[in-house]
Amino acid sequence: MPPKHFLQLKDFSRDELDYLFARTRWIKDRFKRYEIYQPLRDRTLAMVFEKASTRTRVSFEAGMNQLGGIAINLNRGDTQLSRGEPIEDLARVISRMVDVVMIRTFEQPIIERFAAHSRVPVINGLTNEYHPCQILADIYTFIEHRGSIQGKTVAWVGDSNNVCNTWLQAAMVFDFAVHVSTPPGYEVAPDGPDARGNRHYESFSDPAEACAGAHLVTTDVWTSMGFEAENDQRRQAFAQWKVDAAMMSRAQPDALFMHCLPAHRGEEVAAEVLDGPQSVVWDEAENRLHAQKALLEYLVCGRIDDAAHP
Ligand code: CP
Ligand code: NVA
C-alpha cells in the first residue's frame, strides 16, 4: 500500500481531522502534566527546508524528540539538491532511511514529486500553494477558545497566499464561511482549485466589510517567501489591508485574531491588535507543536486506541 501523505489539508477527511484534534488534546494534556509519551522511539523524521523557518523547524524537531524519536534537519544548501540531485532521487534515498519526512519548498508539484517516490509518509511544511500544518494548529486553537468552528465566519485580510488557500480548503471540510479581501490584482483565482465551486468562500473588495460579523480575523505577511522581488510593489498595493483596531471592531465583539507568524507590526497588522486582548497568536504558535505531534503519531503509528495509552 502506498503511504499516506499530508500534502494538502483536504488529503485528510473530516473524520481524520477530528481524530487528530482529539489526539492533539490528549497529547497536549499529557505534555502539560510533564508525562512522558514516546510512541515514536527509534523512529526518525527527516526535515528538508528549502526556505527559512523558526516555528516549523522547532515544533517538528522538539515534537519528534518528545515522542521519543529523532529529527534530522536538512537545509537545501547542505544537501546534494543544491548541486542538482533530482528531488525524486532524494525521496528514494531518504525514505529508505527514515520513517517520515517533512518538506518546506516552493511549488506544490515539487512536494508531489517527492511524495510519489517516497516509501514513507510526507508532510507539507509549507509550499507556495499550501500550509496545512498551520491550519491544523489554527483550527485547533479556535476550538480551544471558542468550540466548534462549524457555521462560523473567518475573515482573511491580505494576500491570497498559501495560508489563505488552506483556509479555503478548511472551510469546505469543516463547513464554515471564509470572507476574503485582497487588493486588486492579488485576488484568489475564481477558477482555482480551492475557489471553484466553493460555496463557503466569498470575496470582498473592502477589508472592513470582510471582517463584518466575523468570529475570527486573520492575516499574513504582504510578501511571502519566494516573492521578495515584489516587496516594494506589494507594500504600496497592500497599504489598506492592515488589520487594526477599527477593522477588528467590525467583527464580533469576542472575535479572535490569528496570524501564522512571523508578523510585521505596522504592516499587515497593527501592534495594538497583534499584542491586544483578542490576539491568540502565541497559543496558535504553540499548538503547532501539539497538532504536529498528533499528525506524526497518526502517520507513523496509525490510529491509537486511547485505552492502550492510559
Ligand atoms: N508559521 C510558520 O510556519 O512559521 P515559520 O516560517 O517560522 O516556520
Ligand atoms: N505566507 C507566508 C507564511 C510564512 C509562515 C510565506 O509563505 O512566507
Side-chain angles (χ1 to χ4, degrees), residues 6-9 11 105-115 124 126-132 162 169:
F6 189 56
L7 307 185
Q8 305 185 27
L9 192 87
D11 287 347
T105 185
F106 292 90
E107 293 80 17
Q108 188 74 9
I110 298 174
I111 198 168
E112 286 168 0
R113 281 162 48 207
F114 188 101
N124 181 347
L126 181 147
T127 56
N128 290 354
E129 288 83 357
Y130 298 112
H131 197 1
N162 41 14
Q169 291 195 352

Side-chain angles (χ1 to χ4, degrees), residues 49 51-59 104 125-126 131 133-134 138 163 220 225 259-262 284-285 288 292:
F49 284 101
K51 293 176 178 170
S53 169
T54 299
R55 278 143 289 270
T56 304
R57 162 86 198 269
V58 175
S59 54
R104 168 167 286 196
L126 181 147
H131 197 1
C133 292
Q134 183 67 52
D138 291 7
V163 181
D220 188 10
M225 291 180 279
H259 189 311
C260 64
L261 305 176
E284 185 189 355
R288 292 288 303 277
Q292 290 162 194

Side-chain angles (χ1 to χ4, degrees), residues 2 20 53-54 59-60 70 78 86 140 151 154-155 195 201 203 206 209-210 220-221 229 234 248 254 300 305:
L20 280 191
S53 169
T54 299
S59 54
F60 269 106
I70 64 155
D78 304 331
Y140 183 77
V154 175
Y201 153 66
S203 167
D206 177 355
E209 281 301 313
D220 188 10
V221 291
R234 283 171 172 265
M248 283 302 291
D254 68 344
V300 177
D305 174 6

